[in-house]
Amino acid sequence: MSAHLVAGQLLGDYRIERAIAVGAMGAVFAATDLRLGRPVAVKVLRGHLGSSDRFRERFRREAAVLARLDSPHVIAIYDHGELDGSPYLVTQLAAGGDLGSLVRRGGPLPPGTAVEVAAQVADALVATHSVGVVHRDVKPANVLLRTPPVQGHLVRPHVYLCDFGVARTESSGLTTAGSITGTWNYLAPELGRGESATPASDVYAVGCLLHEALTGRPPYSGSDVEVAMAHLDRPVPQLPGQDPLTEGLNRALARSMAKSPEHRHASAAELRADLRALLGGPRDTGTIPGPPATTGQVPRGRRRVPWIAGAAAVVVLAGGLVAWRFLGDGAGGDPSPAGTTPTQPGTSAAVARAVAGDVTGDGLGDVVVTVDSDHVRVFPSTGAGFGEADDRPDVSATLTGDVDGDQRLDLIDISGDNAEIDADMLTADGWSRAFLRGPDGTERADGSFSADVDGNGLDDLAMITESGGSVHVTGILARPDGSWSESAEWLTLSPGDETVRMLAADLDGDGSDEIVRVQRTAENTTALRVWRFDGTTLAPLGDGARVPLPQGAYSHDASTAGDLDGDGVDEVVIIAGTHATALHWSDAGWETTGLTASIGEDGYVDGAGVSDVDGDDRDDLMILTRLEEGYRIDAWRSTGDAVEADDAYRVSLPRVSSSRLLGPTDSGFYS
């Protein structure tokens, strides 16, 4: 066997589909795992290198290193082996190509996107260094994009660090002192002197990568010798401008690329925190120019991966960042019009958030369900169906939401009596707690939801209470430093004569969630009203609307929200009887989209949610159906203009009193 495989050829259990990249050492192919029906990448060593002990050991080491790592930003290994004398690796398929190619084609990334990508690479290095591995070849070509760019731009940045073939472990002994491994443009000064690679040299490489993502070129240029000398002697390049974000970026570059390792960030985790701090904080009224919209909206991923305003990023429109993105050799350039002016809160720099439903952090949406009062079960998506259920018998949860900004959904348990509410949150770092207090005289708490109302990339929390004949929405805001604001009353309204629900949805694609009240009425309609957070309260948008229910439906049975068509704007889905109807909101009112389906025909729809189970940037509709013998969860996968049932994503549950889908909205209606 050789690296010259062709479409349709079998490599063990893998069918080759197409070549992705071909180099001197081998080739990478997109393939299909015939056992599981999922897309994979197959990396094959060239035939003449298969007999080289050195290159065979590199392949073996890469497989061993990948198998030890657990990070949503490290490419996942599925298999490795040898056929006809040539080793091969089978890994997760990243369909978007690599960061280096993107920057070469399109030029600099928007600053928020560049910082987010670098933070994700740092996150991958946190996992790498924690098991005693130094990557030694961090560069844009080894950063893969989970999904293809849209019009040349990263709509929802989620990246994977790959190519651990030259990684060094504490015990490998495979590199001798004085040898140099890596790529000159990203090589730390001490490595140019022949010293051993350390986590600090990986930190340096991330700084170089960030510079290239921001400017379109590496920090130093010239021959290999000239570049090596520049790393040793020349100052760390800085970006022109004195606005807060530019100054923050320059501090991050100067520290991560310090000539002496002891002057750099002490760890990849510290670098990650430094970069995240640039993306957090209160939103202002400006915006960093972003990619062009295709439908009049700011493009971004689904509700759980929106384009959001980030930190000081919002104050630089008239400052240095706009200027320096046009400087240099002219590669790429900023796609935004030169006359862009500050906009209202919610316009954005790109900051990735968790994929809809993604609890495991692998970029695929999962399903979380309660099977009794203190028992949560997670069904993880494999991209071709649901994997083995993860039972968490001692975890009680009410909601999901990304409260810490790590791009995986956290389990949130809302509990308490009347005005005093505890929010216990299970994140990747363990349990934490926040508190909500309703207005004085609160008689009961009737619901809760998570939503990123202020657009800082962290989900905020709110509860709904009744007091004095009125309904109150009280919320707390998540802060980038991990703390929470004091409780504040966001909204007061009359409950009306029927029941209502509050949904979080980014209806205009600006990166912050609007709040939608979904209310049953006596006139066989569903009443919808929208509010937007103005910094202190929820301000109404328009007068609301009444949407007729399908013929024969008595009332709506469930509702949810998500970006089913992948256009960067959420739809609200109303389920009434056996009909699911997606509605699009604009200033002109609500319109019915073509995304309709007949569901629940063999039982009663007991709940609905969204989860991008196949990772295609379109939220899929999840339906919980109550049957005589128990419950069933079905995924109605979105094709962009329709939703279709997929039996590969179907699970059954026993009949227990509290089975329900967990999502950003508490399942209980209130009256």
Side-chain angles (χ1 to χ4, degrees), residues 649-669:
Y649 295 92
R650 171 176 285 187
V651 293
S652 298
L653 294 167
R655 184 70 176 270
V656 293
S657 59
S658 61
S659 273
R660 59 188 179 88
L661 292 173
L662 290 189
T665 304
D666 191 339
S667 67
F669 285 96

Side-chain angles (χ1 to χ4, degrees), residues 10-236:
L10 295 181
L11 176 62
D13 294 311
Y14 307 99
R15 183 181 65 234
I16 302 300
E17 305 295 347
R18 69 184 187 280
I20 297 175
V22 179
M25 289 183 56
V28 180
F29 299 89
T32 299
D33 183 339
L34 298 178
R35 295 166 301 181
L36 300 176
R38 67 180 171 187
V40 297
V42 176
K43 183 177 181 179
V44 182
L45 191 63
R46 279 193 179 274
H48 71 281
L49 297 177
S51 59
S52 167
D53 291 340
R54 175 190 172 194
F55 287 107
R56 293 168 68 89
E57 176 59 21
R58 173 172 172 170
F59 247 57
R60 185 207 63 79
R61 185 167 70 252
E62 181 169 10
V65 169
L66 287 174
R68 296 171 60 187
L69 300 181
D70 181 16
S71 167
H73 298 296
V74 172
I75 203 74
I77 185 170
Y78 297 145
D79 192 9
H80 75 285
E82 185 175 307
L83 194 64
D84 297 336
S86 291
Y88 65 87
L89 294 177
V90 181
T91 68
Q92 181 179 11
L93 178 64
D98 67 87
L99 178 64
S101 298
L102 175 67
V103 173
R104 283 195 304 274
R105 291 192 306 266
L109 304 182
T113 309
V115 173
E116 176 60 34
V117 166
Q120 292 182 21
V121 174
D123 185 82
L125 290 174
V126 171
T128 303
H129 297 163
S130 71
V131 296
V133 173
V134 180
H135 189 281
R136 300 200 303 163
D137 200 17
V138 175
K139 59 184 179 182
N142 286 338
V143 175
L144 303 181
L145 314 177
R146 188 177 72 88
T147 55
V150 176
Q151 293 189 333
H153 300 278
L154 285 181
V155 173
R156 57 177 278 188
H158 187 110
V159 303
Y160 305 106
L161 186 61
C162 70
D163 201 351
F164 286 77
V166 298
R168 180 178 181 174
T169 65
E170 294 171 343
S171 59
S172 66
L174 292 169
T175 307
T176 58
S179 67
I180 296 175
T181 304
T183 305
W184 284 108
N185 282 331
Y186 318 98
L187 213 61
E190 63 271 18
L191 300 186
R193 294 190 294 265
E195 299 175 16
S196 297
T198 67
S201 56
D202 280 350
V203 167
Y204 184 92
V206 177
C208 297
L209 180 147
L210 174 61
H211 181 277
E212 184 165 345
L214 288 165
T215 66
R217 57 187 183 274
Y220 306 113
S221 60
S223 67
D224 285 350
V225 173
E226 290 171 332
V227 170
M229 295 303 297
H231 283 299
L232 285 167
D233 300 328
R234 287 178 58 185
V236 175

